[in-house]
Amino acid sequence: MATDPDAEFTALVHRQSRFVFRVAYAVLLNSHDAEDAVQETFLKLYRHRGWEQAENERAYLARVAWREAVDLRPRRSQPSVSSAEPLDTDEMPSLQPVPEQTLLSANQDSMIHAMIDALPEELRVPLALSAFDELHSPEIGSILGIPEGTVRTRLLRARQVLRQKLTSIQESRYA
């Protein structure tokens, strides 16, 4: 008896939508943008039917969601302006950080994201699943189909590479 591909896809969405949201949210740090990334991820999966051939469903979904979120990130970097009534800013202290601090923080965030994105996939994916989706080594190993010890080694190596890059940048700033 043949199964209905649309029903299988619907089951996939119900089964994995929270997981895909968490991966996207870890990259975008905004629930609205993460929801957009989830929709784009599932639309892309539906169009190309790639999920049907995936060996490990969660690992495949994590990779697709991660890439989709990273692709959405540059377009989402500008804050939207609300059309609410203007407030009298002379009477209220600003709750926003000073512009210089905002710029420095955004620059540092984008630099760290660029460093993570530059990692080889074998280091980047376990790091993303661990740091952003808060999965443990055994879970990551089962998702990626690799031994738990290999996951731990890759996580250690990814963190070492990032630490070296950050140290190098700090040393060059103060040299």
Side-chain angles (χ1 to χ4, degrees), residues 115-126:
M115 285 183 206
I116 292 171
D117 292 346
L119 288 171
E121 185 171 339
E122 71 177 19
L123 299 179
R124 185 180 64 243
V125 172

Side-chain angles (χ1 to χ4, degrees), residues 1-146:
M1 179 173 169
T3 59
D4 179 19
D6 289 339
E8 288 180 20
F9 183 76
T10 301
L12 171 77
V13 171
H14 287 291
R15 194 172 53 247
Q16 298 293 358
S17 60
R18 283 186 176 185
F19 174 72
V20 172
F21 176 84
R22 287 192 311 264
V23 171
Y25 185 83
V27 174
L28 297 167
L29 302 176
N30 178 301
S31 60
H32 296 293
D33 294 344
E35 288 171 1
D36 290 346
V38 169
Q39 288 179 356
E40 289 298 321
T41 298
F42 283 118
L43 280 172
K44 187 177 287 186
L45 290 172
Y46 185 78
R47 285 185 201 123
H48 300 292
R49 295 296 212 213
W51 57 275
E52 293 174 334
Q53 290 82 29
E55 285 182 32
N56 186 318
E57 183 177 276
R58 284 177 61 96
Y60 181 78
L61 289 171
R63 284 190 297 271
V64 174
W66 173 267
R67 289 183 184 133
E68 192 62 43
V70 168
D71 287 347
L72 283 175
R73 191 173 55 213
R75 292 186 283 178
R76 305 290 190 198
S77 62
Q78 297 297 324
S80 60
V81 178
S82 173
S83 62
E85 293 182 23
L87 297 174
D88 184 3
T89 56
D90 293 334
E91 295 178 17
M92 296 176 38
S94 174
L95 298 176
Q96 300 295 322
V98 293
E100 294 84 6
Q101 184 60 39
T102 302
L103 181 62
L104 289 173
S105 177
N107 187 31
Q108 183 179 20
D109 288 349
S110 67
M111 181 179 59
I112 291 171
H113 284 293
M115 285 183 206
I116 292 171
D117 292 346
L119 288 171
E121 185 171 339
E122 71 177 19
L123 299 179
R124 185 180 64 243
V125 172
L127 181 66
L129 292 173
S130 172
F132 300 126
D133 203 33
E134 299 179 359
L135 296 177
H136 301 288
S137 297
E139 296 167 313
I140 296 169
S142 68
I143 289 171
L144 300 178
I146 58 177

